Amino acid sequence: GYSLFRNDDILLTNTRPYRGTAVYTRVDYYPGYPQIHNVNGIEITVTRFMILPHVTVIGIYRPPGISIGDLCSALRREIQLVSSQYAVFIGDFNVNWFNESQRRPIYDLFISQSNYKQLVKEYTTDNKTCIDHIYTNLPDSLITANVTETYFTDHKTTYVLINLT
């Protein structure tokens, strides 16, 4: 009963790319969504859902070879493009939240300048790093972040629950 939306990296060969993001859902998308906003090698998947019309969910994948400056430029653009009251940015930022010098530009952009909060404060990989983040401007009473173990990757599953009431 799920539908799949894929935002795959584009290759010049006729093979499946080694990276890409996917959205699996059982609920209807808001008209005009999902959207692909990929820029500078960063995969950005923007979704809105009929049951949450006031929330935009932005999935992020930043490959390790892309600069944090390029990531911040892409994120700044996405923050400005959000047309709903609330937003959730979730994904693999490949920026270790526990490393002050790595996280500073992201912290400044989301927390200092845009009044978002980072919900993930624990390891998200088996390498004891926190590179999978969740940023939101939703009130704490409406959102809960979770990190759980997986067996098929060195990343843990990072997800949110949004209270619809």
Side-chain angles (χ1 to χ4, degrees):
Y2 285 83
S3 66
L4 167 64
F5 177 81
R6 290 174 52 156
N7 178 359
D8 286 327
D9 191 20
I10 298 171
L11 294 178
L12 298 176
T13 62
N14 195 19
T15 60
R16 186 191 176 286
Y18 64 92
R19 58 181 205 226
T21 53
V23 178
Y24 289 95
T25 183
R26 291 193 309 190
V27 297
D28 292 330
Y29 291 110
Y30 195 80
Y33 289 88
Q35 300 173 354
I36 295 174
H37 291 185
N38 298 353
V39 63
N40 298 330
I42 300 161
E43 295 171 12
I44 303 170
T45 306
V46 181
T47 56
R48 287 179 67 189
F49 301 95
M50 291 300 289
I51 63 170
L52 290 168
H54 60 293
V55 179
T56 302
V57 179
I58 300 102
I60 303 291
Y61 173 68
R62 172 192 158 250
I66 304 297
S67 76
I68 295 174
D70 283 346
L71 173 63
C72 287
S73 293
L75 292 171
R76 189 172 293 106
R77 183 180 127 237
E78 289 304 317
I79 290 169
Q80 293 170 349
L81 289 174
V82 170
S83 60
S84 61
Q85 181 179 5
Y86 299 112
V88 177
F89 287 78
I90 185 169
D92 183 351
F93 288 69
N94 272 308
V95 173
N96 187 2
W97 186 253
F98 299 140
N99 181 314
E100 172 65 30
S101 64
Q102 274 189 29
R103 84 171 181 201
R104 177 54 55 190
I106 303 290
Y107 180 94
D108 289 345
L109 173 64
F110 275 114
I111 296 166
S112 298
Q113 298 167 14
S114 303
N115 296 316
Y116 281 70
K117 56 191 163 279
Q118 212 293 65
L119 301 180
V120 182
K121 305 284 174 59
E122 61 190 280
Y123 298 134
T124 62
T125 71
D126 293 342
N127 298 319
K128 297 188 181 307
T129 59
C130 179
I131 62 175
D132 303 290
H133 305 178
I134 301 169
Y135 299 93
T136 189
N137 60 350
L138 274 160
D140 291 340
S141 61
L142 298 181
I143 190 165
T144 304
N146 293 287
V147 178
T148 59
E149 227 20 91
T150 60
Y151 70 92
F152 50 86
T153 177
D154 63 332
H155 287 253
K156 299 176 185 331
T157 301
T158 306
Y159 64 96
V160 293
L161 299 173
I162 299 174
N163 184 352
L164 297 176
T165 59

